[in-house]
Amino acid sequence: VCFTFVSFEAATLDILGEGKYAELMRLHPESGSSIISFKFGWALLGSIVTQAYVGPLSDLGYYHILFWIALALSLTPFYPTLAGWIPEKIRSIDEPGMIRLCRGCLFDRGSFREKKVPFVVITLCGLSAPLLAALTTYADLVVGLVFAGVLIVAFSAATYYIFPKTFFWVFLSIVFTSMSWISIGSAVGYYYTASEECVPNGPNFNYTFYITVTGIVGSIVNFLGVILYQNFLSSWRFRPVLIVTIVIGSLASIVDLIIIMRWNIAIGIPDKVFFLLGNAVFENLVYIMQSIPMSSIYAKIAPPGMESAVFAYTVGIANFCNMVSQLLGSGVIKWSGMKTVGDDCDFDALPDLIVIFQILVPMVVGIPAAFMIPNVLQTEHLIDWEHEQWYQDRAEDDEDEPIEQNENEEGEDSGEDSRLEPHLL
């Protein structure tokens, strides 16, 4: 229950922030991916600080201290939220379609009635992940995968009929790209941290090195990657930048393959040195260079007035597909016959799985998926919502009561907050 509420807080703050910078990017497309880079920069700084103490405390067994630190950090967003650091239009009960659910809580029934179908689909998408988790936990993995496949097809069909066609093709690209990274990272992690009895003459990394040292190095590299991306790749079009990062990201798994095959030892490079110079640097650099353009795409396809909801929908379907890819990875590990714990560990199948699912599949699926995204500059709109006139005609047809203008509302026609401009970096 506690983890549920912690996740709920993190998700709420995350999606509210994402909705706001999606609005900023729509109002100021010339900013490109700079807002995304700024967000990632601060997130990585926090990651560096966190990883500096998680590994040592875990090795010492002080897990309860980590929970007390997490509790203190979970309280920090209260003041910025109450102080209104995120510029938002203040809503009132006098607005047409607004009803009061309880003291301090308003509900925009007019907007909900106008765009009921998208809201319902987005809500169902949010419920799909916990349903899938429950099904795979209490039923069977195969049943869960079949259920996930049906949901993905259903959401794709709903997206086709609800949203503009450009949005649908971008949505499909997100689905295919997310599904293509079939995760076997758990088996790789077990291999790196396995004991000498489990993997004789293996890396045998402890958690201080595997989590803290490599984590800090990786976060620093990620931070540098944000700077490199902003200075060299932010002026590229979406398709080439995605294709380049997909190819490099797939080839980054060769580092894992070399260590598992012990080729680095054969040429005299210790595991920790090769892991730090290879995996911690190469894979983390690729990760951040993939995350920035994808986050920019999520923000740029969010329609006016529904930035947070649609951003949550696209990120939600991407996370759901990532969850499915992890389940597929678990199935692949199980069906391959690998044993990752105990004294009779068996990692013989791991090199083949890395070649197939970490190198070949992402390129075979991800590169064609990149061509579903409009080949525009990152400083341009992905979807011209004014031209699409999405839901405008339906809104006019659904109006069954007159709407009175509130003479105290400012900027209602544009729907823009006058405080947005000073917050644009």
Side-chain angles (χ1 to χ4, degrees), residues 316-333:
I317 198 65
N319 290 337
F320 181 74
C321 291
N322 287 330
M323 181 180 179
V324 175
S325 72
Q326 291 174 357
L327 292 175
L328 282 170
S330 300
V332 167
I333 294 170

Side-chain angles (χ1 to χ4, degrees), residues 15-322:
I15 200 61
L16 289 176
E18 290 166 344
K20 180 52 63 176
Y21 68 66
E23 180 183 1
L24 288 170
M25 292 175 69
R26 176 177 56 81
L27 295 174
H28 303 276
E30 71 280 359
S31 64
S33 57
S34 59
I35 300 176
I36 306 292
S37 299
F38 180 79
K39 186 261 296 190
F40 270 106
W42 280 102
L44 290 169
L45 182 61
S47 177
I48 294 172
V49 175
T50 302
Q51 290 167 340
Y53 60 79
V54 169
L57 290 177
S58 298
D59 277 336
L60 295 172
Y62 296 146
Y63 303 109
H64 60 287
I65 297 180
L66 295 176
F67 285 102
W68 282 111
I69 295 174
L71 176 62
L73 292 175
S74 67
L75 298 175
T76 56
F78 274 101
Y79 176 76
T81 303
L82 295 176
W85 285 14
I86 297 180
E88 287 286 347
K89 176 183 177 182
I90 299 177
R91 311 300 298 274
S92 70
I93 190 64
D94 298 327
E95 296 181 36
M98 192 72 70
I99 61 173
R100 188 187 304 277
L101 297 179
C102 60
R103 182 178 177 82
C105 183
L106 303 178
F107 177 66
D108 192 347
R109 184 172 59 181
S111 296
F112 177 77
R113 289 172 58 186
E114 175 186 332
K115 301 172 182 175
K116 183 185 299 183
V117 176
F119 279 126
V120 170
V121 171
I122 292 169
T123 302
L124 292 176
C125 179
L127 296 174
S128 59
L131 288 175
L132 178 61
L135 191 61
T136 53
T137 301
Y138 299 106
D140 183 75
L141 178 61
V142 175
V143 175
L145 291 174
V146 172
F147 176 72
V150 172
L151 286 181
I152 291 173
V153 172
F155 287 129
S156 298
T159 302
Y160 177 82
Y161 286 105
I162 295 173
F163 292 95
K165 294 301 178 287
T166 304
F167 185 100
F168 169 73
W169 288 114
V170 175
F171 179 89
L172 276 188
S173 177
I174 293 171
V175 169
F176 286 128
T177 302
S178 302
M179 289 284 291
S180 67
W181 297 95
I182 299 176
S183 177
I184 57 173
S186 60
V188 176
Y190 276 120
Y191 177 83
Y192 283 134
T193 58
S195 64
E196 180 67 24
E197 292 75 19
C198 179
V199 181
N201 301 317
N204 309 135
F205 296 153
N206 59 32
Y207 287 112
T208 298
F209 175 80
Y210 191 66
I211 295 178
T212 300
V213 176
T214 61
I216 292 175
V217 171
S219 296
I220 293 174
V221 171
N222 280 341
F223 192 83
L224 296 175
V226 171
I227 299 174
L228 291 173
Y229 185 93
Q230 193 60 32
N231 285 277
F232 297 102
L233 296 181
S234 61
S235 59
W236 288 26
R237 296 180 182 272
F238 275 112
R239 282 183 190 171
V241 75
L242 289 175
I243 292 172
V244 168
T245 54
I246 288 171
V247 171
I248 298 177
S250 300
L251 297 178
S253 296
I254 294 178
V255 174
D256 295 323
L257 184 63
I258 292 174
I259 294 177
I260 293 170
M261 297 300 295
R262 315 308 289 151
W263 294 336
N264 61 300
I265 299 297
I267 59 177
I269 303 178
D271 288 324
K272 289 186 176 181
V273 174
F274 192 81
F275 186 82
L276 280 178
L277 297 178
N279 186 294
V281 173
F282 195 41
E283 292 193 4
N284 282 284
L285 185 64
V286 171
Y287 165 76
I288 200 66
M289 289 190 171
Q290 289 175 337
S291 299
I292 293 176
M294 290 306 299
S295 296
S296 181
I297 289 172
Y298 299 151
K300 283 182 173 290
I301 63 174
M306 291 186 66
E307 289 89 355
S308 294
V310 175
F311 199 110
Y313 181 53
T314 52
V315 173
I317 198 65
N319 290 337
F320 181 74
C321 291
N322 287 330

Side-chain angles (χ1 to χ4, degrees), residues 187 190-191 194 198-199 260 338-341 345-351:
Y190 276 120
Y191 177 83
C198 179
V199 181
I260 293 170
M338 271 197 298
K339 295 181 180 180
T340 58
V341 293
C345 299
D346 183 2
F347 290 93
D348 291 342
L350 188 54

